Amino acid sequence: ERDVFPEAEDTILSKLQGNVIKLIRRMRHQNEMTKQEQERMKGIISDLSHQLKTPLANLKIYSQFLQKENLSENQYREYMDIICMSVERLHFLSENMIKISRLETGLIHLKCQKYKVSQTVLKAVKDIYPKASHMGCEIVYREDRERELVAQFDADWTAEAVFNLLDNAVKYSENAEKKTVVLSVRKLGLF
């Protein structure tokens, strides 16, 4: 990209040169945008594969537990509940894979509404509780009790994000006999 003909000249060659330089710049810009889009897609695929790992691992582990012959009725029900919950999460994730791609391309928007924070957070706690209980992990929930916390967010995706945080906390908590994961929700000055 260099000027061979003076830009100030009003000749066909200088005009052609100006148009070629503009074309080169546009093509470079489009190439850069394509690279950025590819990086975003890699990130989305990586995030989805991470989110799919947990319910798939749960299905594998708890289906193996069900094959044991000396299960009590309570254990059987608990394991089946976990399997059903994992199937529901897989269904939710697979349904929303398309939504994520549409969200990235601007075709859909998050359903942000005002919700009670505690309801969404406790949904995630309820979903992780059987696994935490099985692993000997207690989940302690603390919320600012002075007033009910309400915020504007997409309830399903926020519950999924909180679940992922809790799942990682349960999985990677210290190898103590009694593990405790503390989940604290409070209102700060600006958010």
Side-chain angles (χ1 to χ4, degrees):
E1 184 183 326
R2 62 187 179 91
D3 291 339
V4 176
F5 304 102
E7 199 175 301
E9 281 185 12
D10 192 20
T11 65
I12 292 177
L13 291 176
S14 65
K15 289 179 183 177
L16 179 61
Q17 173 183 275
N19 287 335
V20 168
I21 289 172
K22 286 179 188 175
L23 182 62
I24 289 169
R25 289 178 183 160
R26 269 193 222 133
M27 290 175 71
R28 282 187 183 151
H29 178 71
Q30 284 179 336
N31 284 344
E32 194 60 39
M33 296 301 286
T34 301
K35 285 179 187 175
Q36 289 176 5
E37 187 62 31
Q38 287 172 344
E39 287 302 313
R40 274 197 294 266
M41 288 307 293
K42 283 182 190 175
I44 289 170
I45 291 168
S46 173
D47 187 45
L48 283 173
S49 65
H50 175 74
Q51 289 187 25
L52 290 171
K53 281 181 187 177
T54 302
L56 288 172
N58 281 348
L59 286 172
K60 184 178 180 182
I61 290 169
Y62 289 101
S63 63
Q64 289 171 351
F65 288 162
L66 286 176
Q67 292 175 346
K68 293 180 181 178
E69 293 180 16
N70 56 349
L71 287 178
S72 70
E73 183 67 28
N74 286 341
Q75 287 175 319
Y76 179 81
R77 271 195 231 111
E78 179 185 346
Y79 297 160
M80 285 304 294
D81 287 346
I82 293 169
I83 287 174
C84 289
M85 196 170 46
S86 295
V87 168
E88 285 178 29
R89 277 195 72 220
L90 280 173
H91 177 72
F92 171 78
L93 289 170
S94 63
E95 287 285 316
N96 287 292
M97 287 171 105
I98 294 170
K99 289 181 183 179
I100 288 174
S101 65
R102 289 181 179 166
L103 179 64
E104 282 294 310
T105 57
L107 295 176
I108 65 165
H109 302 284
L110 293 173
K111 294 181 282 183
C112 293
Q113 297 176 358
K114 286 192 174 188
Y115 294 100
K116 293 177 185 174
V117 174
S118 60
Q119 285 179 335
T120 301
V121 171
L122 289 173
K123 179 184 183 304
V125 170
K126 179 184 168 209
D127 290 346
I128 195 66
Y129 180 79
K131 181 178 182 179
S133 177
H134 180 75
M135 294 178 71
C137 184
E138 178 185 15
I139 297 176
V140 176
Y141 176 69
R142 295 183 184 145
E143 182 181 6
D144 182 1
R145 299 284 181 204
E146 291 178 24
R147 58 186 169 272
E148 194 166 51
L149 300 178
V150 176
Q152 190 160 335
F153 54 88
D154 183 290
D156 288 334
W157 286 111
T158 303
E160 182 67 24
V162 173
F163 176 88
N164 286 338
L165 291 171
L166 288 171
D167 186 52
N168 285 334
V170 168
K171 261 195 283 194
Y172 302 114
S173 57
E174 296 175 15
N175 290 331
E177 246 181 65
K178 184 71 175 168
K179 303 178 220 178
T180 303
V181 172
V182 178
L183 176 61
S184 179
V185 177
R186 61 192 168 107
K187 184 174 183 174
L188 300 177
L190 297 175
F191 57 93

